[in-house]
Amino acid sequence: MNIYDFDGTIYDGDSSIDFFKYAIHRNKKCLLILPKFFISTILYITRIKNKEYLKSSFYSFVKHIKNIDEIIEDFYKENQHKIKEYYIKQKEPTDIIITAGAEFIIEPFKKALGFKLIGTKVNKKTGKLESKNCHDEEKVKRLKEEGITSCKNFYSDSNSDTPLTKIAEQSYKVKGKEITKWEEVK
């Protein structure tokens, strides 16, 4: 099996930021989270609050979206073109996407492309995190919980995914359209 990160790796951009922008166009009230998010960012930077608090603060914009399932589906339809061509060409039914992104945003991509999804569980009605942020060592932990301790190939755009390179036979760094063996990246 192959394991991929999502944002910046197979999806060209950050799906959470893109979804927030999309939601703003549907309901300007989503912008009301910005003052709280700004304060949450300061609390996170000063290590008073953790990343889960910060992300819950960000995702709280979903409280302003009444027809969330419809918006998620429309977002997918407008952004499905952002799946990178290299992934479309090499995808396999056993692929696992592991991401810090919110599962509810990525779910339509999962259904369309047929991969297994492990991500940050976020309540799509409240924005509250229902799991730890699926990032860094947490990704390895979540894979182990699924009984996965190794893979053939691993792809990511982020150095924070270095722990996953230890369970892969081969790891690749994705930067835009360029894919390089992880150890060759300077």
Side-chain angles (χ1 to χ4, degrees):
M1 100 192 55
N2 297 316
I3 298 176
Y4 298 82
D5 175 44
F6 189 73
D7 292 326
T9 301
I10 70 165
Y11 178 87
D12 188 17
D14 184 307
S15 59
S16 295
I17 299 296
D18 287 352
F19 186 70
F20 177 61
K21 290 176 186 175
Y22 188 79
I24 290 168
H25 291 294
R26 298 299 184 115
N27 187 343
K28 301 290 185 219
K29 286 184 179 179
C30 291
L31 291 167
L32 293 173
I33 66 114
L34 291 178
K36 182 182 178 189
F37 181 64
F38 177 73
I39 292 167
S40 298
T41 302
I42 292 169
L43 294 173
Y44 172 70
I45 290 169
T46 57
R47 299 176 190 232
I48 294 170
K49 294 288 186 178
N50 63 20
K51 187 102 175 211
E52 285 78 11
Y53 177 84
L54 176 66
K55 288 187 89 164
S56 285
S57 173
F58 171 73
Y59 286 118
S60 68
F61 74 87
V62 298
K63 291 189 273 188
H64 301 289
I65 303 171
K66 290 186 178 150
N67 50 348
I68 187 73
D69 291 323
E70 182 183 318
I71 299 297
I72 292 166
E73 192 57 38
D74 290 347
F75 171 77
Y76 163 73
K77 288 174 185 170
E78 286 199 23
N79 289 278
Q80 63 186 334
H81 70 278
K82 292 183 112 181
I83 297 298
K84 295 183 180 184
E85 191 174 325
Y86 88 90
Y87 180 71
I88 299 296
K89 287 180 179 177
Q90 72 186 38
K91 74 182 183 73
E92 296 178 12
T94 56
D95 288 346
I96 296 173
I97 305 300
I98 189 154
T99 178
E103 284 185 353
F104 77 87
I105 295 171
I106 302 166
E107 189 67 30
F109 294 90
K110 170 193 160 190
K111 286 178 186 170
L113 296 168
F115 53 73
K116 178 176 178 59
L117 174 62
I118 301 171
T120 303
K121 296 179 187 321
V122 179
N123 185 303
K124 65 184 174 185
K125 296 194 185 285
T126 66
K128 298 238 185 260
L129 267 65
E130 297 176 339
S131 72
K132 280 190 159 189
N133 185 34
C134 190
H135 182 262
D136 201 279
E137 288 289 344
E138 182 65 19
K139 287 186 176 183
V140 175
K141 181 181 174 194
R142 296 277 297 279
L143 285 166
K144 285 182 181 175
E145 288 171 0
E146 297 282 330
I148 301 161
T149 56
S150 65
C151 71
K152 185 175 180 182
N153 297 299
F154 171 65
Y155 296 81
S156 178
D157 68 315
S158 174
N159 287 335
S160 69
D161 285 332
T162 300
L164 287 160
T165 65
K166 296 176 179 125
I167 67 165
E169 290 175 27
Q170 185 60 59
S171 299
Y172 298 92
K173 194 70 167 274
V174 179
K175 187 173 184 179
K177 293 181 179 181
E178 186 179 323
I179 301 170
T180 312
K181 285 187 177 180
W182 196 279
E183 61 272 2
E184 293 173 5
V185 177
K186 303 275 186 265

